Each structure stands twice: as C-alpha cells, then as structure tokens.
Amino acid sequence: MKRSMSATLGLLMMATQVHAGTNPWDDKTLDPDKRADLLLKQMSLEEKITVVDGLFGSVAKLGGKEIDPVPEALMGSAGHIPGVPRLGIPAQEETDAGVGVATQGNTRDKVRERTSLPAGLATAATWNPEVAYQGGAMIGNEARLSGFNVMLAGGVNLTREPRNGRNFEYAGEDPLLAGTIAGAEIKGIQSNHIVSTIKHFAENDQETGRMTVSAEMDDDQARMSDLLAFQIAIEIADPGSVMCSYNRVHGTYACENDLLLNKILKKDWGYKGYVMSDWGADYSTAKAINAGLDQESAWVFDGVNRFGPDLKKAIADKSVSQKRLDDMVHRILRSLFAKGVIDDPVKQGPIDYAKDGAASQADAEEAVVLLKNDGGLLPIKSGLKKIAVIGAHADVGVPAGGGSSMVYPVGGNAFPGIAPTTWPGPVMFHPSSPVKALKSRLGQTEITYTDGADPAAAAQAAAGADLVLVFARNWDGEAHDEPLDLPDNQDALISAVAAANAKTVVVLETGNPVLMPWVSKVAGVVEAWYSGTSGGEAIARVLTGEVDASGRLPITFPASVDQLAHPQIVNFGQERPEPYSVEYPEGAAAGYKWYDKQNLTPLFPFGFGLSYSAYAYENLTAKEEGGKVTVSFTVKNTGARAGKDVPQLYVGHQGDGWEAPRRLAGWQKVSLQPGESKQVSLTIDPRLLAHFDGKKHKWEIAKGSYELSLGSSSRNFAQKTTVNLEAKAF
Ligand code: BGC
C-alpha cells in the first residue's frame, strides 16, 4: 500500500521538479526556521504526511507474517522516511545507535560491519567530553559514509536501576556527567551534517516492563535528575530529534505525554527540533500529536499506521489541526536545515577502519577504571616468566552489549554461538584479543590461556604463574535487566583461581556494576566495560602501563543488593507485563546521592578510580560574583609517572529541597607529567545550587551557606570551602 502511494506521488510530482540551489529555501544566509517555512509553503498535504510517517528499514514481523521494507530503504536499517524529491527533501535514513552504525538483526541482506565505540557507560567513565566528541564524530562519519542521515544515538537515561540492561548504552547516574558526555557525543555525531537523536525521553529507567510500566516520580525531583541530564545534553548539542520512550509516566505513555513533550521539552526548554517515537511506542494519532509527538517511527511496530491514512482522517475531522501538522513538518525540516542534512547530502563512500579503530581505542583506554591494585601488580612489569590469562574468551576478543545498538564488527563475531543467537542477541565479541595484544607487548613472557569453564582446571593453570589475569564478563542488553551477580559460575571461578594464586587480578568486562564476593581475595580489579572494536589493544595498553589508568566510575558499585533504592525488580524478566507502576520515592537521590543520604558504604563509590601515579589537590578557593560561583584549585602530579587525573568538585547544602547531601558540580580531566601542577577553574551551573519548585515553576537558590568539597571521588575529599549565596530564582 505504502509502495504504491509513494510511486503514484512520484509520478505526479515529476512534472513540478524543482532545482537544487535555485529555490528561496536554498539560501543558506536565512535561518533554518525561515528556510523551513519557505519550503513548507510548497508542500501538499500528502507530502507533509510523507515526512512525518516513518517506515521500518528492515524485514518486520507482524501477526506472524514477514513484511518487506520499501525497496528504497537501506537494508538492515532501523528506519526510512521517504523524501519529497520534487522539492529536494531527502529521504530520512535512520540507523542505530550510540556506539556505532548498527544493523537490525532480522535483515535478509549481509550485515553491515562497522566500527564500534566502547559502551556509552565506558565513554562516561572517561569523564572526558573531548573523547566523547571524537567518538561521536567517528561514528557519525561512518553513518554518513553508510548513507544514513539520522543516527538514533544519544542515550542519556539516568541510572536509577543498576541492573537496567541498557545502562551500558547510557552515561551513568549523575545528571551533569551524563548530560555533558552524551551532549558531547551528539555534537560529534552532528558535526557530520546528520541528525542525532537524544533518547529515551523520559524516565525509561529499566527494561523490565518497559512497554507497560508507569514511572511515578515527583516532577520537581525529575527535573533535578532524569530530566536535567536531558536538558544539559540538549543545551550542549541541540540534537535534531528527541526520541520518546516506551514507558508511561504518571500513567500516560511518554509519546503521548503532554507534560513531557509539549510543556517541559518544547515550552520550558524551548526545544525546536522534532520528537520521534521509539519503535512501537506510539499508541495514538490525535492524542500523541496533540501531546507533542511529531513523527511516527517505523509504524509497523505500532501495528497500525497512525501517522499515515489515520493522520489524513484526523486532519479532515479536525482532531489534528492543519497548524499542528505544519508545526510537525516545520520541526523536521528545520532540523534537516539546521544540521546540514539538506545542504550537505550524505553520500556512501569508503570507510577508513584503521583510523576509526584508533578513535574507538582512545575512548576505550581512557575508560578503563582501576579499582584495586594491592601490591602494585599493575602495570605489568616486564620480564615476568609466566602470565596465566583465564576466561571470557580473552584469547579471541572482547564482549559487547546486546539489542538495537549492537554493531556487527569488521571481521565478524570472534566467538559466535552463545545464546541468545537472535534478538536481543547475538551475543557479540569484537575480534580484538587481549591475549594477543598482551603477547605482542610482552614477548619474553609466556602467556597461557584457559577458558575458565572448569574452575579446578583454571586454578591449576594459575598456580605458579607470576601474574594471573581473570577476565569476567556479563551480557547486558536491550529488553531485559540483568542481576548484579556475575553469571556462569564466574564468582566460583575467581575464588578458585585466587585461592591458587594470590597474584590474581580480575578484569571485568561488564555493562553494569557487579557484586564481588571475592574482592578481598584478589590483588587487583580492573573495570574495562564493553570496550568496542579495539578493546583488546586498549586493555593491554592500560594493563602494561603504556597509558595510565584514568577512568573513573560513572556509576556506584553496590556492596549488596539490599543497599539499592529498589532491592527488588517487580516483574523481573518480563518486557510487557500487565500495566503496573514503579514508584521512585527517592526522587532525585539516584546513584551516589542515595548512598550518601542513607549513609551506606558502597563497594566502590561514584567517581572512584586509581591511577598509576598520585595527585595532590591544593589552594581551593571559591568566589561568587553576580550569582555565578567560580571555583579554582591546583592539581599536582606527586607520583613518578605521567598520568591523567579527574579532580571532582561536589556541592552540598542542608535542606531547601535538596535531595541528598552532595551533588557533583564540576570536574576536569587533567593530563600531568610527574611533578607538574595545573590550575583548574570551574564555574558551577546554577541549577546545581538550586532546587526546582514546580509551584513557582522556577529554579530556586536558597539563601545560605554551601559547602564545596574537592576530591578524587564522591567519598574522598582533600579540601573543602564554603560560599554564602543570596536567595535567587530563575
Ligand atoms: C530501541 C531504540 C532504537 C529503535 C530502533 C528500539 O527497540 O528502544 O533505542 O533506536 O528500537 O532500532
């Protein structure tokens, strides 16, 4: 039906084809709103509907039947929205996601093999927006060279549930860190003159029940946490599109949620781009449209084509106004102009995988967090006789997270066949082997590999080695949450190996925090996350000390499940249970704020990570001028090696709507030679000194004293000072 409609339109429009570069809207000196208006005026009702009505780019299954995509769609892609050739409006070709150009699992074509960044959570662990930007620029370029002009990236849902299967796609538990990192990545993607989304808006904080659950959070607290992460990223990057999420908020689906879309996003934040639905997240025509949804994505997942013929009917019966349809189209065209999609059309071309692999590696290296290093076993000394490497298929590759964001690697899956082999699988290993990378650096050392399936055999292989590296992994992915325990008997494996050899270092490759019942028995722990295309090289470079361990935790590692704000996940294991609610009485006190408020000692706190060097913080001063608080201090490398440190500033205030004792207020990633000092100056975002008052509809800073704590994590402070602030509303 779709195909015949677009074919007919194509014939009708050929007669009135316009010429690129000669139309009023081609004038690049005009602002994108003006250009969108000029173009919109030329469009027929059918053409307007065409650009708001998304098709799936791959083979879909509906009612047990397979449905082919339109032939123009790039096979294996997430979405295709036909263009209007007579007016020079390009088709919108959509690809997932935040770690690189993904392929939908059910394509009949060959999959696209592309470069994968490390997990979004890993990029957040770099605490380095420049690295995030460069990673975004790299994957955006691969999207462009693959023919895509819309990238479904920018995941920024705040970690409230450390078992959320998609945390690895996001940027951790703090709104400033998550918003800054996701914003930088989106900016990098869009530097390629393509649109990036930011997603999943909003409060889509667990995969369990994601299609039916209603998030019940105080709206003011949401503004100070989940929504603040989005707001900060949007301010930094101005993403062309926002993707609304599957879940409900206060009982209303996010994609038909007037409060989220119209009131907060578009009105309060002044967002000028367009809102697209997640795949299967649109439940209505007029209701969703009037609540602020501008484009239906891949309608086949909704089961009904709500923004096609149904929208035409809705215009006719006036349940959707012509003005609102024009606004939807305007927003889409505006983003296509503002991001350069129309002026600089994407073109398929060759990809430089070596260069892109290096960009991914730079990210993966800075993401590695050294959690424990007793006896200084790391960095690995040269001249060791024997290193025993055990587990996680470290002989062939590094694991990736599952679901729509998964990138098929160049060179194929290094360890195929692990269940699930279909959605949200396949379980993927990027063919970058830590063992090979270690061997190429430690030529004189014998390096053995044992798969770890049998703890006793692994213990035997470990006994007598000068160093044992146990790789341990989990498999996080879309559509399911994962327990905090390492799967597949890996805890027993680690304990058995540690009992056989005290020189055991565990290298975690996980998409979330895990519990470590064996932590006191091992000498070292490294969190390497899902490390992407060049993960093996990156891990080896950090383990051998070619580069410093400079990652810091963007997420708290709990000591036990009962420390969590929500020890139990109701309906665990189900994606679409009967509608139900999850209450968030902790409000904005997510992550470390919860631990601080409850006075709990986590296993490893937010912000924590060791370096191979050591640092001192001095001369902390703070001043307030015209309502702006600026803080400065010196950081000095007091160790014997070059390294990178992440001094962190936290602000605390008693009462007045504060959700927890302290909030992250700023940081800087600083590179320092031994003995070198640098002066750091940070300006605090006033929202981090305030609370949101929904009744007054304003952020409010209360008069009083604010404590500023400078340290190396959310739990280790070297210096403190205070500033006194006057009351202020904004
Ligand atoms: C995911 C989105 C993704 C979309 C298209 C959905 O299942 O939630 O993040 O962009 O599919 O693949």
Side-chain angles (χ1 to χ4, degrees), residues 134-430:
Q134 293 302 341
M138 182 275 281
I139 62 170
N141 183 45
E142 287 203 3
R144 202 185 152 75
L145 293 171
S146 308
F148 292 109
N149 51 20
V150 179
M151 199 161 202
L152 311 172
V156 73
N157 294 84
L158 212 63
T159 309
R160 293 184 166 271
E161 174 48 75
R163 293 160 292 190
N164 177 356
R166 295 189 89 170
N167 283 339
F168 78 93
E169 290 189 54
Y170 303 143
E173 67 191 26
D174 179 79
L176 180 64
L177 178 66
T180 304
I181 295 291
E185 183 185 345
I186 295 167
K187 208 170 170 185
I189 293 170
Q190 294 192 150
S191 70
N192 294 286
H193 295 163
I194 64 173
V195 162
S196 173
T197 60
I198 186 166
K199 69 187 189 184
H200 307 88
F201 196 66
E203 300 177 34
N204 179 193
D205 294 338
Q206 59 176 49
E207 289 298 277
T208 299
R210 67 172 173 163
M211 301 296 184
T212 52
V213 71
S214 178
E216 299 300 328
M217 198 186 309
D218 175 86
D219 292 329
D220 295 353
Q221 295 286 308
R223 295 255 195 176
M224 294 153 61
S225 53
D226 287 50
L227 298 181
L228 183 56
F230 275 94
Q231 193 181 6
I232 289 172
I234 289 171
E235 287 163 0
I236 292 171
D238 185 27
S241 184
V242 171
M243 187 191 291
C244 51
S245 53
Y246 286 126
N247 56 295
R248 296 175 297 140
V249 173
H250 300 314
T252 303
Y253 283 109
C255 291
E256 44 188 37
N257 199 305
D258 179 63
L259 174 68
L260 284 177
L261 306 183
N262 278 340
K263 298 208 168 81
I264 295 178
L265 176 70
K266 292 181 177 177
K267 184 160 176 284
D268 290 356
W269 298 352
Y271 179 66
K272 290 185 163 179
Y274 63 102
V275 178
M276 68 165 77
S277 53
D278 199 345
W279 276 226
D282 176 24
Y283 288 87
S284 56
T285 303
K287 184 173 180 197
I289 288 174
N290 293 329
L293 180 62
D294 300 304
Q295 188 179 66
E296 180 182 21
S297 301
W299 68 260
V300 71
F301 287 90
D302 297 326
V304 182
N305 190 188
R306 302 189 200 279
F307 281 29
D310 284 7
L311 174 52
K312 210 170 168 185
K313 273 189 233 143
I315 296 285
D317 71 20
K318 299 200 166 37
S319 53
V320 172
S321 68
Q322 184 63 52
K323 187 165 168 246
R324 173 67 184 117
L325 175 62
D326 286 352
D327 173 49
M328 293 154 71
V329 177
H330 173 99
R331 286 172 172 277
I332 294 166
L333 297 177
R334 182 198 189 275
S335 284
L336 298 183
F337 280 122
K339 303 304 152 199
V341 173
I342 292 184
D343 295 336
D344 185 14
V346 296
K347 212 167 134 210
Q348 294 190 17
I351 291 172
D352 184 343
Y353 290 111
K355 183 163 156 253
D356 292 356
S360 175
Q361 186 176 323
D363 188 343
E365 281 171 12
E366 284 212 22
V368 173
V369 187
L370 179 59
L371 294 172
K372 181 173 181 182
N373 193 18
D374 284 3
L377 290 186
L378 299 179
I380 299 173
K381 316 277 169 301
S382 60
L384 298 187
K385 277 210 191 70
K386 183 180 163 185
I387 299 177
V389 179
I390 295 163
H393 311 294
D395 56 333
V396 291
V398 292
S404 56
S405 69
M406 197 200 61
V407 173
Y408 285 82
V410 179
N413 192 346
F415 198 89
I418 297 180
T421 51
T422 55
W423 173 261
V427 175
M428 183 62 69
F429 287 80
H430 293 289

Side-chain angles (χ1 to χ4, degrees), residues 652-674:
H653 178 68
Q654 301 290 321
D656 301 310
W658 276 56
E659 70 279 10
R662 274 179 300 279
R663 300 168 176 167
L664 178 69
W667 73 91
Q668 200 165 101
K669 191 141 196 182
V670 196
S671 184
L672 293 164
Q673 293 303 313

